[in-house]
Amino acid sequence: MKTNSVYNEQTVDLLFMVEGQRTPYDMPFAHHHNSYEIYILESGTRNYIIDDELFEVSEMDVALISPYMLHKTTGGPYKRTLISIRPSYLRKHFSEDAINYMLTPFNYKVISLTANLFSKLRSICQKIISTPEEERFVYISEMLILLKNAAKSCTIDKKTISSNERQAAEIVKYINLNYLDIKSLEDICSHFFITKGHLCRIFKKSLNMSVISYLNNVKVQNACDLLAKTNKNITEIGFESGFNSTMYFCKTFKKYLNLSPLEYRKKMQNP
């Protein structure tokens, strides 16, 4: 994997990163954050799964991901700018009414900008980079308001996807809602009246990951929430996340996050 990281700065509540990928790259697994994420695609085309919808995102598109919304990208070479804003950052600088007003673009998930608006957005990004940290909130608000206004006039749509990709998106939605009750691939096949071969084939082709990998991914993300927000023990959390074995839960968790459940909990408690 060849990555050209142009700019990467993180403060407590605000992350701004520009990254270029010169070869095709698929995010290894779906994930979520405790922040609002603005993904600005400057070049290339990406398939972007956001929650239970599949989008084809192109140059001058902006993807908007709300906190704890599962997402993953796949596709060819690209360049993107990423801004991640924690709710605590917004509360620090804006009133509740202002926050609700500025966050309305996140209802759309993907916005396709005109060349003029995209140029203005890039200019705001440059101002964020060059402005002292304590003053960046001014340009964060300017960016959010630009996106809010753009949502009224620009094309906001899921790009055309194939029937197989549409079915893969439906399968993702089904897994997200029923992962605790899914015991095998046959459960998914019987719900959609398809064969196991067809299920595995369309899922892999659309998302470049296996059905089992995605299912375990959703379970692990649920476990992450329980580890961070509750004092339940590891066995309880494993079972409440859909794992029938504590050993398999710990093994799977470490495979995805390179941390044991206990190590992850300690990291969340002492960031």
Side-chain angles (χ1 to χ4, degrees), residues 11-34:
T11 62
V12 174
D13 289 324
L14 181 67
L15 168 70
F16 188 97
M17 182 168 61
V18 180
E19 183 182 64
Q21 181 71 40
R22 297 192 296 269
T23 58
Y25 172 68
D26 295 334
M27 191 177 288
F29 55 87
H31 63 288
H32 62 57
H33 312 284
N34 62 342

mmCIF file of all heavy atoms in Angstrom, residues 11-34:
data_model
loop_
_atom_site.group_PDB
_atom_site.id
_atom_site.type_symbol
_atom_site.label_atom_id
_atom_site.label_comp_id
_atom_site.label_asym_id
_atom_site.label_seq_id
_atom_site.Cartn_x
_atom_site.Cartn_y
_atom_site.Cartn_z
ATOM 1 N N THR A 11 -6.100 17.495 17.233
ATOM 2 C CA THR A 11 -6.219 18.089 18.549
ATOM 3 C C THR A 11 -7.174 17.204 19.326
ATOM 4 O O THR A 11 -7.574 16.147 18.860
ATOM 5 C CB THR A 11 -6.757 19.528 18.445
ATOM 6 O OG1 THR A 11 -8.059 19.487 17.869
ATOM 7 C CG2 THR A 11 -5.829 20.383 17.578
ATOM 8 N N VAL A 12 -7.568 17.620 20.515
ATOM 9 C CA VAL A 12 -8.423 16.767 21.343
ATOM 10 C C VAL A 12 -9.746 16.463 20.653
ATOM 11 O O VAL A 12 -10.195 15.334 20.632
ATOM 12 C CB VAL A 12 -8.666 17.443 22.714
ATOM 13 C CG1 VAL A 12 -9.670 16.633 23.533
ATOM 14 C CG2 VAL A 12 -7.353 17.582 23.481
ATOM 15 N N ASP A 13 -10.359 17.480 20.051
ATOM 16 C CA ASP A 13 -11.711 17.313 19.511
ATOM 17 C C ASP A 13 -11.830 17.535 18.008
ATOM 18 O O ASP A 13 -12.919 17.443 17.457
ATOM 19 C CB ASP A 13 -12.676 18.283 20.211
ATOM 20 C CG ASP A 13 -12.943 17.875 21.647
ATOM 21 O OD1 ASP A 13 -13.002 16.669 21.908
ATOM 22 O OD2 ASP A 13 -13.085 18.770 22.497
ATOM 23 N N LEU A 14 -10.720 17.873 17.344
ATOM 24 C CA LEU A 14 -10.795 18.181 15.928
ATOM 25 C C LEU A 14 -9.650 17.502 15.181
ATOM 26 O O LEU A 14 -8.486 17.643 15.550
ATOM 27 C CB LEU A 14 -10.714 19.702 15.727
ATOM 28 C CG LEU A 14 -10.807 20.198 14.280
ATOM 29 C CD1 LEU A 14 -12.194 19.932 13.701
ATOM 30 C CD2 LEU A 14 -10.493 21.690 14.216
ATOM 31 N N LEU A 15 -10.001 16.753 14.141
ATOM 32 C CA LEU A 15 -9.002 16.085 13.299
ATOM 33 C C LEU A 15 -9.154 16.596 11.880
ATOM 34 O O LEU A 15 -10.249 16.635 11.334
ATOM 35 C CB LEU A 15 -9.205 14.573 13.326
ATOM 36 C CG LEU A 15 -8.422 13.750 12.289
ATOM 37 C CD1 LEU A 15 -6.940 13.768 12.626
ATOM 38 C CD2 LEU A 15 -8.926 12.325 12.233
ATOM 39 N N PHE A 16 -8.031 17.008 11.282
ATOM 40 C CA PHE A 16 -8.029 17.459 9.892
ATOM 41 C C PHE A 16 -6.925 16.702 9.178
ATOM 42 O O PHE A 16 -5.770 16.748 9.589
ATOM 43 C CB PHE A 16 -7.773 18.967 9.817
ATOM 44 C CG PHE A 16 -7.941 19.556 8.446
ATOM 45 C CD1 PHE A 16 -9.120 20.176 8.085
ATOM 46 C CD2 PHE A 16 -6.926 19.469 7.503
ATOM 47 C CE1 PHE A 16 -9.284 20.714 6.816
ATOM 48 C CE2 PHE A 16 -7.079 19.993 6.233
ATOM 49 C CZ PHE A 16 -8.263 20.619 5.895
ATOM 50 N N MET A 17 -7.265 15.994 8.092
ATOM 51 C CA MET A 17 -6.267 15.161 7.429
ATOM 52 C C MET A 17 -6.488 15.164 5.928
ATOM 53 O O MET A 17 -7.605 15.026 5.445
ATOM 54 C CB MET A 17 -6.341 13.723 7.969
ATOM 55 C CG MET A 17 -5.312 12.775 7.380
ATOM 56 S SD MET A 17 -5.230 11.205 8.288
ATOM 57 C CE MET A 17 -6.896 10.596 8.077
ATOM 58 N N VAL A 18 -5.407 15.332 5.188
ATOM 59 C CA VAL A 18 -5.423 15.209 3.725
ATOM 60 C C VAL A 18 -4.580 14.003 3.369
ATOM 61 O O VAL A 18 -3.456 13.851 3.841
ATOM 62 C CB VAL A 18 -4.849 16.469 3.045
ATOM 63 C CG1 VAL A 18 -4.881 16.300 1.524
ATOM 64 C CG2 VAL A 18 -5.629 17.704 3.457
ATOM 65 N N GLU A 19 -5.121 13.119 2.533
ATOM 66 C CA GLU A 19 -4.401 11.892 2.197
ATOM 67 C C GLU A 19 -4.609 11.541 0.741
ATOM 68 O O GLU A 19 -5.714 11.665 0.212
ATOM 69 C CB GLU A 19 -4.882 10.734 3.076
ATOM 70 C CG GLU A 19 -4.129 9.433 2.845
ATOM 71 C CD GLU A 19 -4.693 8.319 3.720
ATOM 72 O OE1 GLU A 19 -5.872 7.962 3.521
ATOM 73 O OE2 GLU A 19 -3.959 7.827 4.569
ATOM 74 N N GLY A 20 -3.527 11.105 0.084
ATOM 75 C CA GLY A 20 -3.618 10.612 -1.280
ATOM 76 C C GLY A 20 -3.189 9.161 -1.332
ATOM 77 O O GLY A 20 -2.206 8.769 -0.707
ATOM 78 N N GLN A 21 -3.934 8.338 -2.083
ATOM 79 C CA GLN A 21 -3.635 6.923 -2.235
ATOM 80 C C GLN A 21 -3.366 6.654 -3.704
ATOM 81 O O GLN A 21 -4.248 6.818 -4.544
ATOM 82 C CB GLN A 21 -4.824 6.082 -1.751
ATOM 83 C CG GLN A 21 -4.628 4.592 -1.836
ATOM 84 C CD GLN A 21 -3.641 4.100 -0.805
ATOM 85 O OE1 GLN A 21 -3.639 4.561 0.324
ATOM 86 N NE2 GLN A 21 -2.798 3.164 -1.165
ATOM 87 N N ARG A 22 -2.132 6.272 -4.044
ATOM 88 C CA ARG A 22 -1.734 6.155 -5.438
ATOM 89 C C ARG A 22 -2.087 4.809 -6.062
ATOM 90 O O ARG A 22 -1.939 4.624 -7.262
ATOM 91 C CB ARG A 22 -0.229 6.410 -5.563
ATOM 92 C CG ARG A 22 0.167 7.820 -5.136
ATOM 93 C CD ARG A 22 1.603 8.139 -5.559
ATOM 94 N NE ARG A 22 2.567 7.293 -4.897
ATOM 95 C CZ ARG A 22 3.156 7.596 -3.748
ATOM 96 N NH1 ARG A 22 2.832 8.720 -3.125
ATOM 97 N NH2 ARG A 22 4.053 6.790 -3.205
ATOM 98 N N THR A 23 -2.501 3.850 -5.252
ATOM 99 C CA THR A 23 -2.908 2.546 -5.768
ATOM 100 C C THR A 23 -4.291 2.219 -5.229
ATOM 101 O O THR A 23 -4.729 2.805 -4.237
ATOM 102 C CB THR A 23 -1.918 1.439 -5.326
ATOM 103 O OG1 THR A 23 -1.861 1.415 -3.886
ATOM 104 C CG2 THR A 23 -0.527 1.701 -5.887
ATOM 105 N N PRO A 24 -5.029 1.305 -5.876
ATOM 106 C CA PRO A 24 -6.343 0.919 -5.338
ATOM 107 C C PRO A 24 -6.226 0.500 -3.875
ATOM 108 O O PRO A 24 -5.272 -0.172 -3.484
ATOM 109 C CB PRO A 24 -6.753 -0.257 -6.239
ATOM 110 C CG PRO A 24 -6.039 -0.007 -7.519
ATOM 111 C CD PRO A 24 -4.707 0.588 -7.130
ATOM 112 N N TYR A 25 -7.205 0.920 -3.079
ATOM 113 C CA TYR A 25 -7.156 0.615 -1.647
ATOM 114 C C TYR A 25 -8.561 0.356 -1.130
ATOM 115 O O TYR A 25 -9.481 1.136 -1.394
ATOM 116 C CB TYR A 25 -6.529 1.774 -0.870
ATOM 117 C CG TYR A 25 -6.628 1.611 0.630
ATOM 118 C CD1 TYR A 25 -5.917 0.612 1.287
ATOM 119 C CD2 TYR A 25 -7.444 2.451 1.392
ATOM 120 C CE1 TYR A 25 -6.016 0.453 2.657
ATOM 121 C CE2 TYR A 25 -7.542 2.300 2.757
ATOM 122 C CZ TYR A 25 -6.830 1.298 3.387
ATOM 123 O OH TYR A 25 -6.934 1.134 4.748
ATOM 124 N N ASP A 26 -8.713 -0.725 -0.393
ATOM 125 C CA ASP A 26 -9.979 -1.060 0.256
ATOM 126 C C ASP A 26 -9.777 -0.997 1.762
ATOM 127 O O ASP A 26 -8.894 -1.671 2.309
ATOM 128 C CB ASP A 26 -10.449 -2.463 -0.135
ATOM 129 C CG ASP A 26 -10.783 -2.571 -1.613
ATOM 130 O OD1 ASP A 26 -11.118 -1.534 -2.207
ATOM 131 O OD2 ASP A 26 -10.695 -3.684 -2.161
ATOM 132 N N MET A 27 -10.581 -0.198 2.439
ATOM 133 C CA MET A 27 -10.541 -0.144 3.892
ATOM 134 C C MET A 27 -10.771 -1.557 4.431
ATOM 135 O O MET A 27 -11.700 -2.238 4.001
ATOM 136 C CB MET A 27 -11.626 0.808 4.392
ATOM 137 C CG MET A 27 -11.553 1.167 5.857
ATOM 138 S SD MET A 27 -12.848 2.368 6.298
ATOM 139 C CE MET A 27 -12.207 3.845 5.506
ATOM 140 N N PRO A 28 -9.925 -2.049 5.338
ATOM 141 C CA PRO A 28 -9.998 -3.461 5.737
ATOM 142 C C PRO A 28 -11.302 -3.861 6.409
ATOM 143 O O PRO A 28 -11.737 -4.988 6.275
ATOM 144 C CB PRO A 28 -8.804 -3.626 6.685
ATOM 145 C CG PRO A 28 -8.442 -2.248 7.109
ATOM 146 C CD PRO A 28 -8.789 -1.351 5.963
ATOM 147 N N PHE A 29 -11.937 -2.931 7.133
ATOM 148 C CA PHE A 29 -13.223 -3.288 7.741
ATOM 149 C C PHE A 29 -14.032 -2.031 8.025
ATOM 150 O O PHE A 29 -13.493 -0.925 8.111
ATOM 151 C CB PHE A 29 -13.036 -4.099 9.035
ATOM 152 C CG PHE A 29 -12.160 -3.433 10.062
ATOM 153 C CD1 PHE A 29 -12.671 -2.543 10.984
ATOM 154 C CD2 PHE A 29 -10.796 -3.723 10.113
ATOM 155 C CE1 PHE A 29 -11.858 -1.934 11.925
ATOM 156 C CE2 PHE A 29 -9.981 -3.119 11.056
ATOM 157 C CZ PHE A 29 -10.513 -2.219 11.961
ATOM 158 N N ALA A 30 -15.336 -2.216 8.133
ATOM 159 C CA ALA A 30 -16.212 -1.095 8.467
ATOM 160 C C ALA A 30 -15.969 -0.691 9.916
ATOM 161 O O ALA A 30 -15.596 -1.503 10.760
ATOM 162 C CB ALA A 30 -17.672 -1.506 8.261
ATOM 163 N N HIS A 31 -16.184 0.575 10.199
ATOM 164 C CA HIS A 31 -15.911 1.082 11.537
ATOM 165 C C HIS A 31 -16.789 2.301 11.801
ATOM 166 O O HIS A 31 -17.493 2.777 10.917
ATOM 167 C CB HIS A 31 -14.431 1.464 11.672
ATOM 168 C CG HIS A 31 -14.021 2.574 10.763
ATOM 169 N ND1 HIS A 31 -13.891 2.409 9.393
ATOM 170 C CD2 HIS A 31 -13.759 3.885 11.000
ATOM 171 C CE1 HIS A 31 -13.543 3.548 8.853
ATOM 172 N NE2 HIS A 31 -13.471 4.465 9.789
ATOM 173 N N HIS A 32 -16.743 2.817 13.010
ATOM 174 C CA HIS A 32 -17.427 4.073 13.303
ATOM 175 C C HIS A 32 -16.605 4.882 14.288
ATOM 176 O O HIS A 32 -15.637 4.399 14.871
ATOM 177 C CB HIS A 32 -18.853 3.838 13.825
ATOM 178 C CG HIS A 32 -18.943 3.070 15.106
ATOM 179 N ND1 HIS A 32 -18.306 3.459 16.271
ATOM 180 C CD2 HIS A 32 -19.602 1.933 15.429
ATOM 181 C CE1 HIS A 32 -18.588 2.610 17.243
ATOM 182 N NE2 HIS A 32 -19.364 1.662 16.749
ATOM 183 N N HIS A 33 -16.982 6.149 14.460
ATOM 184 C CA HIS A 33 -16.293 7.060 15.359
ATOM 185 C C HIS A 33 -17.305 7.755 16.266
ATOM 186 O O HIS A 33 -18.498 7.748 15.989
ATOM 187 C CB HIS A 33 -15.546 8.155 14.575
ATOM 188 C CG HIS A 33 -14.722 7.638 13.440
ATOM 189 N ND1 HIS A 33 -13.519 7.018 13.624
ATOM 190 C CD2 HIS A 33 -14.929 7.661 12.096
ATOM 191 C CE1 HIS A 33 -13.013 6.684 12.451
ATOM 192 N NE2 HIS A 33 -13.853 7.050 11.504
ATOM 193 N N ASN A 34 -16.800 8.407 17.304
ATOM 194 C CA ASN A 34 -17.670 9.210 18.164
ATOM 195 C C ASN A 34 -17.635 10.670 17.712
ATOM 196 O O ASN A 34 -17.601 11.594 18.535
ATOM 197 C CB ASN A 34 -17.235 9.090 19.630
ATOM 198 C CG ASN A 34 -15.827 9.623 19.855
ATOM 199 O OD1 ASN A 34 -15.056 9.768 18.900
ATOM 200 N ND2 ASN A 34 -15.487 9.913 21.100
#
